[in-house]
Amino acid sequence: MKILVINSGSSSIKFRLVDAQTFYPIVNGILECIGTQRSKISCSIYNEKGIHKKHEEFLLINSHGEGVKFLVDYLHNRGFIGVFGDLAAIGHRVVHGGEWFKKSVLITESVIGRIRKTIPLAPIHNPANLIGIDICRDTFPSTPQVAVFDTAFHQSMPAKAYRYPLPESLYSEHRVRRYGFHGTSHQYVANRAAEFLGKPLSQLNLITLHLGNGASATAIQRGRAIDTSMGLTPLEGLMMGTRCGDIDPAIIFYLARVSGLAIDKIETLLNQKSGLFGVCGSNDMREIQQRFKQGDEQAKLAIEIYCYRIKKYIGAYLAILGRLDVLVFTAGVGENSPEVRLQVCQGLEHLGICIVPEKNKAKINSATEIQNDAGAVKIMVIPTDEETEIAQQTQACIQNSQ
Ligand code: AMP
């Protein structure tokens, strides 16, 4: 039996077909640039030794709906899935579950209704996720479908962490609160760290740093998230590729007054033209590091702000956790930039965070410790794998519902 994972983003659909018992991939791929002339499918086909074939093809895919239909046909026509039978379940990543969902759930009409009600909180992502769910339910009506929410892992936060110091009515009437995102990634790397260290997650305190184009930090106490850096939306928190992260909210009103920018233009500015891109004109950390090495002052400043802000979150989360067992780096920058990891950890030795530059610099492909033996805190680099986490949660969900 197999599990199909569908992860619909704003302009792409990632998919992975895995063995339902081992979660080993059968096909893994992405449909990108949906709605443009350059739509493309790229996928890797696995055998027991690893990737044995790659396939890439340019297509014309106008919408998410067409994209999901294409993928289902693609997997079916090539014999990876039969129409009936060999799919144990389909797991869908859903970005926002609001306060309804504290864990993954079997998709029913009422679940769909709640995901729909949450659209105002994720106006781009939740509709794309719902299209994927609708098409898969039409195509495979008897196959269980599971929703795995980006927000669910953070639902264990206490009110003092998730409430904003704003009038109570904004929370009770409009659900204005902190939700947090990247939950499947934080949960996956926390589980992997526990597995690697041979300890139950319920005995560990961790800070997980998901540093990709989007970036977030989560404080995990005895296996449960107690705080996270993203808020009502993924704009709050760390400096990101193009998002500003924490800023004084009065900047918005000031900008509206002095520049006359409309509110939607300011929203675009903070989401798409800020962060690393805003400070130095690029959101690609590889390019920024290259420029830094060539003496570019803007690139240097961008990296300094980026690392300084991560360091401040580590300090804050250490304070609320009391004891820190593991600091985890993951996602594009966290997994691949020894320079960022070093700059973030430098100066934290008195807190037990002691990185070993040689271990940090080595090529890392799987969960690896990079701390000094004397350091109280394990520092780990763990490649994230949201699709495996979604497949595992999907399997657990259908087992619990039987
Ligand atoms: P993600 O969103 O997880 O795919 O991460 C994207 C970010 O990771 C981009 O800023 C990339 O520049 C960065 N990244 C990927 N590979 C490297 C690398 N080898 N060194 C530094 N940054 C990298």
Side-chain angles (χ1 to χ4, degrees):
M1 296 290 270
K2 298 161 189 168
I3 291 177
L4 175 63
V5 172
I6 301 275
N7 180 348
S8 306
S10 46
S11 65
S12 68
I13 304 169
K14 288 189 194 161
F15 62 98
R16 188 181 296 178
L17 187 68
V18 302
D19 181 278
Q21 297 307 317
T22 60
F23 306 107
Y24 191 76
I26 298 164
V27 189
N28 185 44
I30 183 165
L31 193 56
E32 289 174 282
C33 303
I34 295 170
T36 74
Q37 297 291 322
R38 296 172 297 113
S39 316
K40 180 174 92 170
I41 183 168
S42 323
C43 69
S44 304
I45 297 150
Y46 288 72
N47 64 15
E48 58 289 346
K49 293 192 190 119
I51 296 175
H52 101 111
K53 228 195 261 159
K54 290 198 172 190
H55 175 77
E56 213 175 82
E57 189 181 332
F58 284 91
L59 314 146
L60 192 61
I61 301 282
N62 291 308
S63 65
H64 268 73
E66 271 184 38
V68 178
K69 277 201 190 105
F70 170 83
L71 284 181
V72 167
D73 287 347
Y74 180 89
L75 293 170
H76 175 56
N77 293 340
R78 282 164 177 74
F80 294 118
I81 48 175
V83 178
F84 303 107
D86 67 347
L87 264 188
I90 303 177
H92 297 267
R93 174 197 181 211
V94 179
V95 164
H96 216 308
E99 287 184 318
W100 308 103
F101 301 107
K102 302 194 187 320
K103 56 183 182 150
S104 304
V105 288
L106 211 53
I107 295 175
T108 60
E109 285 305 326
S110 111
V111 167
I112 289 179
R114 286 176 171 179
I115 297 173
R116 196 161 280 131
K117 278 193 183 146
T118 315
I119 287 177
L121 290 168
I124 297 171
H125 290 93
N126 273 23
N129 301 152
L130 279 168
I131 289 170
I133 292 172
D134 278 348
I135 291 170
C136 288
R137 286 180 96 213
D138 281 350
T139 316
F140 303 98
S142 54
T143 304
Q145 320 251 341
V146 172
V148 180
F149 300 93
D150 250 22
T151 46
F153 183 58
H154 304 301
Q155 279 293 304
S156 50
M157 286 193 287
K160 66 184 173 191
Y162 73 69
R163 285 289 297 275
Y164 288 110
L166 290 168
E168 143 72 28
S169 58
L170 296 191
Y171 173 63
S172 51
E173 288 169 28
H174 302 293
R175 313 323 287 174
V176 173
R177 53 157 284 178
R178 309 183 61 253
Y179 292 94
F181 299 87
H182 294 145
T184 44
S185 176
H186 289 288
Q187 190 164 9
Y188 176 80
V189 295
N191 280 324
R192 279 293 294 124
E195 196 179 43
F196 183 89
L197 298 169
K199 293 207 170 143
L201 184 58
S202 57
Q203 287 176 16
L204 289 176
N205 286 358
L206 307 95
I207 297 174
T208 47
L209 299 170
H210 177 108
L211 308 177
N213 206 22
S216 63
T218 297
I220 301 170
Q221 192 168 53
R222 293 192 288 278
R224 290 163 63 83
I226 60 164
D227 206 345
T228 193
S229 58
M230 285 178 165
L232 175 78
T233 74
L235 189 55
E236 188 179 340
L238 301 175
M239 178 182 188
M240 304 177 218
T242 62
R243 286 177 233 151
C244 57
D246 298 333
I247 58 164
D248 180 347
I251 291 171
I252 297 165
F253 322 122
Y254 176 76
L255 272 182
R257 273 198 303 274
V258 298
S259 68
L261 277 177
I263 196 78
D264 56 332
K265 292 274 184 309
I266 299 179
E267 188 176 17
T268 305
L269 188 142
L270 300 182
N271 272 298
Q272 293 171 26
K273 299 191 173 13
S274 298
L276 292 166
F277 179 81
V279 177
C280 74
S282 169
N283 61 333
D284 186 333
M285 187 55 90
R286 285 163 290 203
E287 184 189 323
I288 300 169
Q289 287 179 334
Q290 202 53 41
R291 281 171 46 192
F292 167 61
K293 285 181 192 144
Q294 290 157 358
D296 182 322
E297 284 299 319
Q298 280 179 316
K300 177 169 181 267
L301 179 62
I303 297 173
E304 278 176 357
I305 305 174
Y306 186 85
C307 295
Y308 176 75
R309 287 180 163 234
I310 297 170
K311 196 177 279 204
K312 287 209 297 185
Y313 265 93
I314 293 175
Y317 286 173
L318 256 166
I320 60 165
L321 285 169
R323 183 198 82 226
L324 179 62
D325 301 306
V326 197
L327 175 66
V328 180
F329 287 90
T330 193
V333 177
E335 292 165 29
N336 298 300
S337 174
E339 294 89 348
V340 166
R341 294 194 296 259
L342 187 66
Q343 197 161 327
V344 165
C345 291
Q346 263 170 352
L348 299 182
E349 294 78 8
H350 63 295
L351 298 171
I353 297 174
C354 308
I355 199 165
V356 177
E358 295 71 38
K359 287 189 191 169
N360 179 44
K361 260 192 261 164
K363 179 109 189 87
I364 295 175
N365 298 316
S366 59
T368 305
E369 292 179 59
I370 55 170
Q371 80 283 350
N372 178 323
D373 288 343
V377 178
K378 306 268 185 212
I379 309 172
M380 296 192 68
V381 181
I382 303 182
T384 194
D385 188 347
E386 292 172 87
E387 280 69 32
T388 293
E389 182 65 32
I390 294 170
Q392 288 174 343
Q393 291 195 26
T394 299
Q395 171 69 294
C397 195
I398 53 169
Q399 258 169 9
N400 291 340
S401 68
Q402 274 161 6

